Amino acid sequence: MRGWAAALRAAASGPGLALGGFRERFDFGGRDVASWFPGHMAKGLRQMRASLRRADCLIEVRDARIPLSGCNPMLQEALGVRPHILVLNKMDLADPRQQPTVLEHLKQQGCSHVVFTDCQRDGNIKKIIPLAAKLLGDSPRYHRAESTEYNILVIGVPNVGKSSLINSLRRLHLKKGKATAVGGEPGVTKAVLTRIQVCEKPLMYLVDTPGVLPPKLGDVETGMKLALCGAIRDHLVGEDVMADYLLYTLNKQQQFRYVQHYGLARACNTIEPVLKCVALARGRTQKVKVLTGTGNVNVTTLDYPAAAYEFLRDFRAGRLGRVTLD
């Protein structure tokens, strides 16, 4: 346990401190999260490429907290000249003050049809089908000109809410229940599903696809942002370094709600005091055997890895404020 805490202190100390006491840069310690590309993702990418031939339009879903880092360049290559709607989901968790800046960046990248959504509420989701119908009406058909139905492929990295979006659209336009499984872990949708009807007039079908990461991420920081938003499984990156990077980001953006949330005396530059407070408040402890002169003794210690997971979970639930990581 001492070794774990010492590693955190080492990562958070040394050069790179700002004048205000917060780190100006984050030391990733030589970590590399750029190679996580499971077999089912490679298979999913092949299936998506095959499905593209029958797609009239693409709806790309990204997490609104990572509107730039949440892009898969391989999916961008697949867009071609087809109509493309970018849905920035989970807007209720992202910083609304960043929306104009995000839209400007996306416009420079050629994304002109952007819809912010929150699948827990129907508000902006109502805009998606009419926008798709308009774009399709203005565009040439890509297959079977005599057909009166539209096929829309839903793409994106893992855990951005693609299945939730499809279920919301079905509920809105067809008054139907869930058509596809929803999960909070990356990789729940492991195969391209059959077409799912979401609208009667016009007759419109969506195809859910597995979340796919690029085989190699551009840099470690992009991978860390994806991991914080649940696109990469926590244990592959390490809850400890993820929690520390999250704290670094919150301080950098002057998002200090965590101070009040955990009852801290002040903002912290290192993660250890935060996790200590979380562990004490949530009762995250564990029994550890200690060898003494009189034999083995069970000692109760704070469970820092469990506290790190709690810290991440609070962020993902929006309890530490609305934060845009990009």
Side-chain angles (χ1 to χ4, degrees):
M1 191 58 58
R2 271 187 211 146
W4 194 90
L8 286 180
R9 283 196 297 272
S13 61
L17 286 182
L19 292 175
F22 297 123
R23 289 167 283 178
E24 290 182 327
R25 58 182 175 79
F26 187 83
D27 181 7
F28 291 100
R31 292 174 184 267
D32 181 12
V33 295
S35 59
W36 190 64
F37 194 72
H40 78 262
M41 287 199 178
K43 179 182 177 183
L45 194 57
R46 289 194 300 271
Q47 288 176 311
M48 266 193 289
R49 283 174 173 157
S51 299
L52 272 170
R53 291 195 297 269
R54 300 186 299 275
D56 299 296
C57 175
L58 288 95
I59 294 178
E60 181 189 0
V61 187
R62 298 184 197 170
D63 191 312
R65 294 168 295 181
I66 45 172
L68 307 177
S69 300
C71 164
N72 184 340
M74 296 186 72
L75 298 181
Q76 298 303 300
E77 295 170 10
L79 293 176
V81 294
R82 291 174 176 79
H84 170 226
I85 298 172
L86 176 58
V87 173
L88 295 180
N89 196 27
K90 306 184 183 182
M91 62 177 286
D92 53 312
L93 301 176
D95 187 346
R97 296 170 298 179
Q98 298 298 321
Q99 283 192 12
T101 304
V102 167
L103 287 171
E104 182 59 34
H105 277 295
L106 292 171
K107 185 178 179 182
Q108 291 173 7
Q109 295 178 0
C111 297
S112 53
H113 304 292
V114 181
V115 181
F116 285 89
T117 63
D118 166 15
C119 284
Q120 304 303 314
R121 301 170 184 82
D122 292 333
N124 288 357
I125 293 176
K126 294 176 181 176
K127 301 176 182 178
I128 295 174
I129 294 300
L131 176 58
K134 180 181 184 303
L135 292 176
L136 286 164
D138 295 341
S139 302
R141 297 302 300 271
Y142 296 101
H143 64 91
R144 297 197 315 277
E146 71 279 4
S147 175
T148 57
E149 65 183 41
Y150 294 115
N151 293 299
I152 301 177
L153 203 62
V154 183
I155 61 176
V157 302
N159 205 27
V160 291
K162 297 184 294 297
S163 300
S164 295
L165 178 68
I166 290 175
N167 290 333
S168 295
L169 290 170
R170 271 178 65 83
R171 186 179 67 252
L172 269 172
H173 297 281
L174 294 178
K175 310 304 178 188
K176 300 284 187 181
K178 290 184 179 181
T180 178
V182 176
E185 284 289 320
V188 168
T189 311
K190 293 193 177 179
V192 175
L193 304 180
T194 54
R195 296 189 310 161
I196 302 164
Q197 184 181 351
V198 292
C199 191
E200 190 70 44
K201 292 182 180 180
L203 184 56
M204 200 171 286
Y205 294 89
L206 297 189
V207 179
D208 196 8
T209 64
V212 176
L213 290 168
K216 187 170 180 61
L217 298 175
D219 56 76
V220 177
E221 191 154 15
T222 295
M224 195 66 68
K225 293 176 182 179
L226 286 162
L228 283 176
C229 293
I232 301 174
R233 293 183 187 275
D234 294 348
H235 71 273
L236 294 171
V237 182
E239 288 90 342
D240 53 350
V241 70
M242 287 171 61
D244 195 28
Y245 179 78
L246 174 58
L247 177 67
Y248 157 79
T249 302
L250 294 174
N251 287 338
K252 187 178 179 182
Q253 296 190 13
Q254 298 187 349
Q255 295 263 18
F256 299 123
R257 186 180 291 188
Y258 73 88
V259 176
Q260 180 182 5
H261 186 73
Y262 297 123
L264 293 160
R266 63 183 66 83
C268 302
N269 186 52
T270 61
I271 192 65
E272 188 183 11
V274 178
L275 298 187
K276 181 178 180 180
C277 189
V278 173
L280 289 169
R282 305 282 172 84
R284 298 302 178 190
T285 60
Q286 59 184 354
K287 291 189 181 298
V288 179
K289 278 189 177 181
V290 177
L291 182 61
T292 69
T294 56
N296 291 341
V297 177
N298 284 329
V299 177
T300 299
T301 63
L302 297 179
D303 189 340
Y304 280 86
Y309 175 72
E310 291 281 349
F311 186 50
L312 296 174
R313 193 166 69 169
D314 284 342
F315 162 71
R316 290 165 178 163
R319 290 188 281 269
L320 305 183
R322 299 178 66 174
V323 182
T324 298
L325 297 174
D326 283 332

